[in-house]
């Protein structure tokens, strides 16, 4: 019995993603134009020493073929999805599959299951046409699943090489964020050093939008996820403006960088949007953040508006200096006393214990937090014993603290309004949405480009599709050497080569645009209602990119 799918999914199955002209017209092999040798973004000599076999590779651009291509042999290729879901992952795999088959119809694609651990444990499936067709233009990563196992140790690399040899696989595509592509870079170097006969190519994924630079204009999934969140924010704004009785505090996913919050703010014009990078830069205290929000609440109340919308980036807490210090102290304290801490009978004893150990400054910061949040900080820890910051309900924390302050102001007569708040967290609502046309096209092109990099025998590259504000015909497909994006950073007390994470640039144009308008948005109700993603209809509605990329480029 065939599986039931929704009418929209059925119609989307027939959608043919757009490709850059150079890819759409190629035969069996691509013409790869090689640029000049490259350097890493920083720490050049150290990165070069760490990656002697893959450092300095040229940027590659695929051009429209002239004349007939020479036939290429069939390839056996493996692919994994790594880290958090992002809309369009299935299309990367579909593009890779189609691209490999176009190179040679006998090529085979294997999907390793459950992320990087599927590679080391050799859990895989082999794709065929029917399998791929079921997933074209769909959201999610359920085609093969994903995982967060880090692929970074030599024993793991050896296992990967061994498992690929068993299957005859000579190239791997790793679809992931900055950490996964850092690991792809290390694996590519290791394979080159060992002459393992295994090419490694990365693909830029993450809804967080923080894997980008001059060459990688966007990570896939950001477009769709922010469109979904912006639709929901717009709907809530319309409700707030209709009922005129609630303040909505909306936390938006994005583990660290605030690109999602910024993009949604640009799309919807909320009354307040916090940007973590600005909080860190200005060394704002939690009290200052609360005062800023409460001031907007007060001003609107004096205009008779006891409603509004506040956007809160998920990573905020870690960017507030006193909270960052608190979390670091708490992590150290719990790591050093984990057994004793776990043996304590109840929350009160645990709170007493940590309070007795904190430095006076941290103790003050901790006790200023609502009790519920204090408990959360002690309860949610990851397998390494660290506080799970992303699980802290920052939106509730802000509501409680704003409420307290408004009570104070009411007492002193400086505030006369009503404050009734509702909290929301948007993350999972958008991470697996059916990809927008942009993400469907972009992802398919990224996968197709990855197949071309493999066809050209290249390793240590990330698939790159540029010129994204133009129509897909004019997108530029190619490969960027992974080493080019590396620098050294301190991680767990050691200097490590990693791909530089892109935080929101306070000097960048998207933040400037937001900063220029936010005071007006705070008081007027300039709410924008982007509405749901449109898959069919006029191109100016269906194919629009993010505000971020339009403003940046
Ligand atoms: P990636 O960086 O792996 O793409 O993950 C992004 C993300 O969606 C973050 O926005 C969020 O903080 C995190 O994953 C949540 O992951 P999980 O559901 O595994 O806790």
């Amino acid at each position: 019995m065939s599986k039931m799918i929704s009418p929209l999914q059925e119609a989307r199955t027939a959608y043919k993603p757009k490709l850059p002209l150079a890819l759409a017209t190629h035969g069996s092999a691509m013409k790869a134009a090689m640029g000049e040798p490259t350097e890493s973004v920083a720490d050049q000599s150290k990165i070069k020493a760490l990656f002697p076999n893959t450092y300095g590779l040229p940027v590659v651009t695929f051009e429209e073929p002239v004349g007939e291509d020479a036939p290429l042999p069939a390839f056996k290729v493996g692919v994994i999805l790594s880290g958090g879901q992002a809309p369009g992952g299935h299309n990367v795999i579909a593009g890779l599959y189609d691209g490999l088959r176009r190179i040679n119809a006998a090529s085979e694609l294997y999907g390793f299951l459950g992320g990087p651990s599927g590679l080391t444990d050799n859990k895989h499936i082999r794709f065929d046409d029917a399998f791929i067709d079921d997933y074209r233009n769909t959201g999610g990563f359920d085609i093969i699943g994903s995982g967060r196992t880090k692929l970074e140790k030599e024993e793991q690399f050896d296992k990967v090489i061994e498992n690929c040899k068993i299957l005859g696989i000579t190239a791997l595509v790793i679809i992931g964020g900055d950490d996964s592509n850092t690991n792809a870079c290390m694996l590519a170097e290791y394979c080159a050093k060992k002459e393992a006969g295994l090419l490694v190519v990365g693909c830029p994924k993450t809804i967080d939008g923080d894997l980008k630079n001059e060459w990688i204009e966007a990570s896939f999934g950001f477009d769709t996820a922010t469109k979904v969140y912006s639709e929901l924010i717009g709907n809530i704004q319309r409700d707030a403006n209709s009922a005129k009785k609630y303040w909505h505090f909306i936390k938006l996913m994005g583990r660290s960088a605030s690109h999602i919050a910024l993009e949604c703010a640009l799309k919807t014009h909320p009354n307040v949007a916090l940007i973590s990078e600005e909080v860190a830069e200005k060394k704002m205290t939690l009290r200052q953040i609360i005062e800023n929000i409460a001031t907007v609440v007060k001003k609107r109340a004096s205009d008779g508006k006891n409603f509004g919308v506040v956007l809160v980036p998920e990573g905020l807490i870690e960017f507030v200096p006193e909270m960052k210090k608190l979390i670091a102290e708490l992590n150290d304290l719990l790591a050093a006393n984990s057994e004793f801490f776990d043996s304590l009978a109840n929350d009160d004893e645990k709170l007493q214990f940590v309070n007795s150990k904190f430095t006076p400054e941290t103790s003050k910061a901790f006790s200023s937090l609502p009790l519920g949040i204090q408990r959360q900080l002690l309860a949610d820890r990851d397998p390494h014993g660290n506080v799970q910051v992303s699980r802290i309900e920052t939106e509730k924390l802000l509501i409680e603290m704003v409420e307290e302050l408004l009570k104070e102001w009411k007492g002193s007569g400086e505030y006369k309004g009503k404050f009734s708040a509702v909290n929301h967290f948007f993350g999972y609502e958008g991470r697996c949405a059916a990809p927008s046309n942009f993400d469907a096209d972009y992802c398919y092109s990224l996968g197709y480009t990855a197949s071309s990099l493999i066809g050209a025998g290249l390793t240590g590259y990330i698939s790159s599709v540029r010129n994204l504000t133009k129509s897909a015909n004019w997108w530029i497909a190619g490969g960027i050497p992974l080493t080019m994006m590396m620098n050294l950073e301190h991680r767990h007390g050691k200097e490590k080569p990693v791909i530089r994470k892109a935080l929101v640039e306070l000097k960048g144009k998207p933040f400037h645009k937001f900063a220029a308008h936010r005071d007006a948005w705070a008081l007027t109700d300039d709410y924008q209602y982007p509405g749901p993603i449109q898959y069919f209809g006029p191109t100016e509605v269906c194919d629009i990119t993010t505000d971020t990329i339009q403003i940046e480029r």
Side-chain angles (χ1 to χ4, degrees):
M1 200 177 69
S2 72
K3 217 163 83 182
M4 289 269 289
I5 57 171
S6 70
L8 177 67
Q9 196 178 327
E10 197 164 326
R12 282 304 277 174
T13 308
Y15 178 73
K16 293 264 170 283
K18 300 184 257 318
L19 276 174
L21 268 183
L23 295 187
T25 54
H26 90 88
S28 62
M30 299 289 312
K31 184 172 182 306
M34 301 288 183
E36 296 298 312
T38 57
E39 297 271 15
S40 59
V41 281
D43 310 305
Q44 289 81 8
S45 55
K46 286 186 182 167
I47 301 288
K48 187 174 182 181
L50 287 166
F51 297 90
N53 298 285
T54 50
Y55 188 85
L57 296 169
V59 169
V60 173
T61 309
F62 292 115
E63 294 175 348
E64 282 181 55
V66 189
E68 278 299 297
D69 297 316
L72 283 179
F75 287 92
K76 280 193 183 183
V77 175
V79 62
I80 60 163
L81 293 161
S82 181
Q85 283 71 252
H90 290 166
N91 269 28
V92 180
I93 294 178
L96 176 63
Y97 180 83
D98 292 350
L100 289 169
R101 303 287 281 232
R102 178 98 173 246
I103 287 172
N104 186 313
S107 291
E108 291 176 19
L109 181 62
Y110 290 81
F112 288 91
L113 305 176
S117 62
L119 258 177
T120 48
D121 301 345
N122 201 4
K123 298 218 168 88
H124 64 267
I125 46 116
R126 191 166 72 85
F127 292 113
D128 59 21
D129 290 351
F131 198 141
I132 292 285
D133 286 350
D134 275 350
Y135 288 91
R136 289 182 191 272
N137 308 308
T138 57
F141 276 7
D142 41 317
I143 187 168
I144 46 173
S146 184
R148 290 198 182 275
T149 305
K150 286 197 188 312
L151 205 57
E152 55 189 356
K153 299 198 182 94
E154 292 202 345
E155 309 89 82
Q156 291 174 306
F157 292 167
D158 287 332
K159 207 78 198 116
V160 170
I161 294 170
E162 185 188 320
N163 290 337
C164 286
K165 274 221 170 88
I166 295 170
L167 295 167
I169 287 174
T170 56
L172 262 185
V173 177
I174 295 182
I175 304 171
D178 53 338
D179 282 344
S180 308
N181 277 288
T182 293
N183 296 337
C185 186
M186 290 165 66
L187 179 60
E189 174 66 27
Y190 188 77
C191 291
K193 181 173 97 183
K194 294 268 162 172
E195 297 180 358
L198 185 64
L199 309 175
V200 183
V201 169
C203 263
K205 169 234 75 165
T206 177
I207 61 160
D208 292 5
D210 55 10
L211 173 49
K212 65 172 174 181
N213 48 50
E214 193 192 335
W215 299 96
I216 305 297
E217 295 180 6
S219 57
F220 78 76
F222 178 70
D223 183 86
T224 309
T226 52
K227 279 178 176 151
V228 173
Y229 305 145
S230 298
E231 179 207 349
L232 300 176
I233 295 164
N235 293 349
I236 285 177
Q237 289 181 155
R238 199 135 226 174
D239 197 291
N241 203 12
S242 306
K244 302 197 189 294
K245 60 178 180 182
Y246 293 129
W247 270 90
H248 294 269
F249 281 60
I250 306 171
K251 183 169 80 172
L252 292 163
M253 227 181 211
R255 187 188 298 277
S256 184
S258 308
H259 296 293
I260 292 181
L262 180 57
E263 169 66 19
C264 292
L266 290 165
K267 272 203 162 72
T268 61
H269 306 181
N271 303 106
V272 178
L274 303 172
I275 302 297
S276 307
E277 290 82 346
E278 186 183 27
V279 167
E281 169 88 7
K282 294 186 172 161
K283 299 194 172 45
M284 288 167 81
T285 61
L286 199 48
R287 173 79 189 184
Q288 281 171 322
I289 297 171
I290 300 300
E291 278 173 2
N292 289 352
I293 301 173
T295 303
V296 175
V297 174
K298 186 173 76 173
K299 283 189 184 158
R300 287 179 63 82
S302 65
D303 288 345
K305 294 175 182 174
N306 290 302
F307 65 92
V309 169
V310 180
L311 303 188
V312 181
E314 182 185 25
L316 178 73
I317 279 290
E318 274 188 302
F319 286 74
V320 180
E322 90 242 31
M323 296 304 292
K324 194 174 171 184
K325 191 159 176 290
L326 163 66
I327 290 162
E329 263 188 48
L330 203 50
N331 282 342
D332 288 349
L333 191 62
L334 298 184
N337 302 279
S338 64
E339 253 178 56
F340 175 71
F341 183 79
D342 291 337
S343 74
L344 293 171
N346 54 41
D347 281 355
D348 286 345
E349 284 187 14
K350 288 179 178 173
L351 287 170
Q352 217 177 351
F353 170 71
V354 293
N355 267 316
S356 70
K357 300 281 179 191
F358 282 144
T359 56
E361 207 183 323
T362 299
S363 177
K364 197 169 151 217
F366 190 66
S367 50
S368 73
L369 298 173
L371 202 60
I373 300 291
Q374 291 185 13
R375 289 208 173 101
Q376 262 179 29
L377 278 166
L378 300 186
D380 281 328
R381 281 183 287 147
D382 70 12
H384 308 285
N386 293 329
V387 172
Q388 274 191 292
V389 182
S390 62
R391 303 277 289 274
I392 307 296
E393 292 171 307
T394 329
E395 67 287 18
K396 290 191 187 164
L397 164 77
L398 297 180
I399 290 175
E400 262 192 63
M401 294 182 84
V402 167
E403 204 160 27
E404 276 302 305
L405 184 58
L406 290 172
K407 262 190 213 147
E408 266 178 46
W409 287 354
K410 208 161 215 174
S412 61
E414 55 182 302
Y415 166 69
K416 295 191 177 60
K418 272 194 205 137
F419 180 70
S420 182
V422 184
N423 63 282
H424 312 261
F425 170 38
F426 297 156
Y428 300 102
E429 291 79 351
R431 254 183 14 168
C432 281
S436 60
N437 283 355
F438 172 83
D439 268 328
D441 299 345
Y442 181 43
C443 290
Y444 189 77
S445 299
L446 283 171
Y448 214 96
T449 304
S451 77
S452 305
L453 290 166
I454 292 166
L458 298 168
T459 190
Y461 279 85
I462 186 166
S463 174
S464 144
V465 175
R466 292 183 284 135
N467 216 18
L468 295 175
T469 48
K470 300 283 182 311
S471 80
N473 273 352
W474 308 113
W475 288 355
I476 300 166
I480 304 302
L482 283 160
T483 52
M484 198 178 168
M485 300 169 9
M486 301 288 257
N487 68 164
L488 293 176
E489 287 178 20
H490 280 277
R491 298 273 168 98
H492 308 294
K494 282 194 197 138
E495 217 175 36
K496 287 202 160 186
V498 292
I499 290 177
R500 189 185 268 174
K501 204 185 253 309
L503 297 178
V504 168
E505 288 273 355
L506 301 184
K507 292 198 177 83
K509 289 187 202 162
F511 180 79
H512 269 198
K513 179 163 183 195
F514 160 72
H517 290 91
R518 63 178 153 187
D519 290 346
W521 297 345
L523 303 182
T524 59
D525 307 324
D526 188 35
Y527 304 136
Q528 301 290 299
Y529 311 111
I533 294 176
Q534 300 295 309
Y535 298 99
F536 304 100
T539 185
E540 65 275 19
V541 180
C542 298
D543 296 333
I544 36 175
T545 51
T546 58
D547 284 42
T548 304
I549 202 168
Q550 284 176 45
I551 299 168
E552 269 174 356
R553 307 269 157 190

